[in-house]
């Protein structure tokens, strides 16, 4: 039994938010590190970002990250351990995020991070290094040259010791592979009529994605990852019986804004046709979380907003004039991709904002809405991808 691989949310979200600012030339191993142009440094003796001339003689470990990135948050304890280990050595640790200072400070008050935290308010550092996904680590040697651009979990104490000794690091290079064909898609406007294309991707794996109510753009991803992103089912609720394939695919789909409910069915129909598969539904017993009202407590206030919007970054969500099912879907992601069953009986639209970084904050923020969750085992639909005509 094969499972469709879980999407790395950090890659998708980062590329969606920076789809149009990729630089023509990204510094390579051996190049001098470009100036970072940070707007502020948190945790340093001064708020002013230090120029590279002031850092000469130090190995600098730069991690691109975000508070909404689950993989980044999971990596913080490991990063903190390295900061502590090299506290008395010529090593500087700099974690760079493009988020607002207030949000970063709020996160750090709950989960402290060692070293310096740089705010890239003008997108200069992200624009210069153009990381494909986060967390992403760049190591700069004592002379200011880039000696590694890699996955953050590849950077160990032994790696930093070799950098201090000016020894070759020989780490895998995490390359920028975004292509010009994806630039500008974020600025697209809703078309006059439905437009859907699913086609083999030409070139290197790109891992770009934009998803809005009326638009889905996926560039250069393996088939199973495309299916994971489009169908968006909890990992425990489906499997793939399709033959293994390394072929990369791109999806370009958009509909008029007033017809956004047509987008997903059109994309799914086209995927089934072009990739020659079908979806069958079975039943299986599995763990679920149930979202319900707290007896005797008022529920969330009905929204009076004129327009409907939703913003999601990792565990943070802000929804305006959205059905409670949007919250249920978010909770299943926060709960480790476990199915979430909505039994609130709430049928209107609501405004809510929450950032459940742990179980206690989740409980409190749900209580503020007059809601709670519980866990139980249920028989649920189970979906299977299989070759077309298999049965």
């Amino acid at each position: 039994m094969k499972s469709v691989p879980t999407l790395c949310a950090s890659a998708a979200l980062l590329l969606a938010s920076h789809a149009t600012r990729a630089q023509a030339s990204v510094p390579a191993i051996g190049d001098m590190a470009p100036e970072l142009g940070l707007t502020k440094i948190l945790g340093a003796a001064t708020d002013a970002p230090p120029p590279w001339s002031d850092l000469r003689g130090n190995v600098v470990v730069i991690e691109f990250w975000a508070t909404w990135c689950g993989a980044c948050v999971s990596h913080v304890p490991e990063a903190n351990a390295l900061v502590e280990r090299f506290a008395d050595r010529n090593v500087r640790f700099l974690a760079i995020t493009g988020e607002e200072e207030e949000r970063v400070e709020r996160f750090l008050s709950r989960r402290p991070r060692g070293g310096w935290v740089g705010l890239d308010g003008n997108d200069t550092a992200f624009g210069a290094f153009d990381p494909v996904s986060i967390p992403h680590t760049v190591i700069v040697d004592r002379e200011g040259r880039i000696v590694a651009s890699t996955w953050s979990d590849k950077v160990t104490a032994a790696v930093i010791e070799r950098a201090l000794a000016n020894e070759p690091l020989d780490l895998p290079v995490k390359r920028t592979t975004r292509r010009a064909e994806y630039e500008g898609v974020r600025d697209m406007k809703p078309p006059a009529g439905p437009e859907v294309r699913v086609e083999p991707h030409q070139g290197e794996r790109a891992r770009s994605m934009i998803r809005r109510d009326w638009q889905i753009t996926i560039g250069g991803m393996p088939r199973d990852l495309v299916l994971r992103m489009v169908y968006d089912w909890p990992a425990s609720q489906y499997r793939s019986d399709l033959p293994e394939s390394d072929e990369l695919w791109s999806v370009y789909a958009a509909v008029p804004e007033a017809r956004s409910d047509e987008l997903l069915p059109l994309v799914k129909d086209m995927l089934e046709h072009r990739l020659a598969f079908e979806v069958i539904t079975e039943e299986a017993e599995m763990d679920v979380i149930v979202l319900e009202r707290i007896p005797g407590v008022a529920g969330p206030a009905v929204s009076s907003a004129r327009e409907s919007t939703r913003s999601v970054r990792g565990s943070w969500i802000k929804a305006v004039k959205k059905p409670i099912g949007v919250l249920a879907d978010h909770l299943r992601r926060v709960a480790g991709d476990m199915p979430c069953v909505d039994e609130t009986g709430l049928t209107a639209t609501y405004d809510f904002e929450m950032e459940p970084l742990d179980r206690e904050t989740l409980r409190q923020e749900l209580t503020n809405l007059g809601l709670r969750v519980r866990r139980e085992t249920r028989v649920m639909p189970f979906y299977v991808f299989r070759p077309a005509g298999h049965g």
Side-chain angles (χ1 to χ4, degrees):
M1 182 181 297
K2 296 177 295 181
S3 297
V4 181
T6 301
L7 166 66
C8 176
S10 59
L13 288 168
L14 174 67
L15 293 176
S17 63
H18 296 283
T20 61
R21 63 96 174 97
Q23 301 294 303
S25 178
V26 177
I29 304 301
D31 289 350
M32 298 299 293
E35 290 296 341
L36 298 171
L38 301 176
T39 53
K40 192 171 185 179
I41 293 285
L42 306 178
T46 174
D47 289 345
W52 284 113
S53 58
D54 289 356
L55 294 171
R56 289 288 171 86
N58 295 283
V59 169
V60 182
V61 180
I62 304 170
E63 181 180 319
F64 291 92
W65 74 299
T67 64
W68 48 259
C69 163
C72 302
V73 174
S74 298
H75 186 253
V76 168
E78 183 178 344
N80 284 346
L82 291 175
V83 173
E84 184 176 354
R85 176 161 180 166
F86 290 92
D88 299 325
R89 309 283 294 279
N90 291 325
V91 183
R92 296 291 178 265
F93 293 87
L94 174 59
I96 298 178
T97 177
E99 299 168 278
E100 303 85 358
E101 181 177 356
E102 180 181 357
R103 177 181 175 83
V104 177
E105 291 277 22
R106 187 169 68 248
F107 175 89
L108 295 176
S109 69
R110 298 176 181 177
R111 297 195 177 188
R113 173 154 201 157
W116 298 339
V117 176
L119 303 182
D120 190 23
N122 51 20
D123 205 29
T124 301
F126 272 89
F129 286 92
D130 201 23
V132 177
S133 64
I134 53 176
H136 176 105
T137 295
V138 175
I139 301 178
V140 178
D141 70 9
R142 295 184 177 203
E143 299 301 318
R145 295 187 181 277
I146 298 170
V147 291
S149 181
T150 190
W151 287 264
S152 295
D153 60 3
K154 301 294 183 184
V155 180
T156 63
V159 166
I160 296 174
E161 291 287 2
R162 292 202 300 274
L164 284 167
N166 293 322
E167 298 176 358
L169 300 189
D170 194 28
L171 292 175
V173 178
K174 192 175 179 185
R175 300 184 185 279
T176 292
T177 54
R178 267 176 269 163
R179 293 155 51 94
E181 66 187 89
Y182 306 117
E183 295 183 14
V185 293
R186 187 170 177 81
D187 299 322
M188 286 176 55
K189 304 300 181 184
E195 301 176 3
V196 182
R197 288 186 290 136
V198 176
E199 57 193 22
H201 175 74
Q202 304 299 318
E204 297 181 83
R205 181 177 304 202
R207 281 181 173 259
S208 67
M209 177 188 180
I210 293 175
R211 183 162 186 167
R212 295 185 278 202
D213 288 344
W214 56 269
Q215 176 192 18
I216 294 176
T217 301
I218 301 172
M221 294 192 183
R223 177 203 63 201
D224 288 350
L225 191 51
V226 171
L227 299 183
R228 173 76 174 94
M229 296 168 75
V230 170
Y231 284 83
D232 198 27
W233 289 319
S236 60
Q237 211 166 348
Y238 71 98
R239 75 168 189 270
S240 173
D241 288 344
L242 301 175
E244 293 187 8
S245 172
D246 294 327
E247 188 173 15
L248 304 179
W249 290 85
S250 292
V251 176
Y252 305 88
V255 297
E257 204 160 9
R259 299 169 61 182
S260 59
D261 58 334
E262 299 178 25
L263 179 64
L264 274 177
L266 286 171
V267 173
K268 291 176 180 178
D269 284 348
M270 183 64 75
L271 282 172
E272 291 185 25
H273 171 70
R274 294 287 281 125
L275 277 63
F277 70 88
E278 60 187 9
V279 179
I280 62 170
T281 304
E282 302 174 348
E283 288 188 337
E285 190 175 82
M286 64 188 70
D287 290 337
V288 303
I289 54 176
V290 179
L291 177 65
E292 60 187 7
R293 298 278 299 274
I294 300 175
V297 177
V302 175
S303 176
S304 60
R306 298 181 61 183
E307 296 185 357
S308 172
T309 62
R310 174 177 55 181
S311 299
V312 179
R313 290 182 177 179
S315 64
W316 175 79
I317 182 171
K318 181 177 182 180
V320 176
K321 202 177 181 62
K322 288 292 184 181
I324 211 68
V326 169
L327 176 59
D329 186 62
H330 184 68
L331 291 178
R332 66 99 164 170
R333 301 172 194 276
V334 174
D337 218 24
M338 184 185 301
C340 181
V341 180
D342 174 16
E343 292 190 348
T344 62
L346 298 170
T347 57
T349 55
Y350 309 90
D351 304 337
F352 51 87
E353 180 177 5
M354 63 169 53
E355 188 175 17
L357 295 173
D358 51 43
R359 184 174 298 179
E360 178 55 30
T361 56
L362 171 62
R363 186 196 65 79
Q364 184 58 56
E365 291 179 334
L366 285 176
T367 299
N368 293 341
L369 297 173
L371 305 174
R372 66 185 183 189
V373 291
R374 57 184 170 84
R375 181 170 174 168
E376 63 179 45
T377 300
R378 289 192 178 185
V379 174
M380 298 285 291
F382 185 82
Y383 307 100
V384 181
F385 295 103
R386 68 181 187 182
H390 179 79

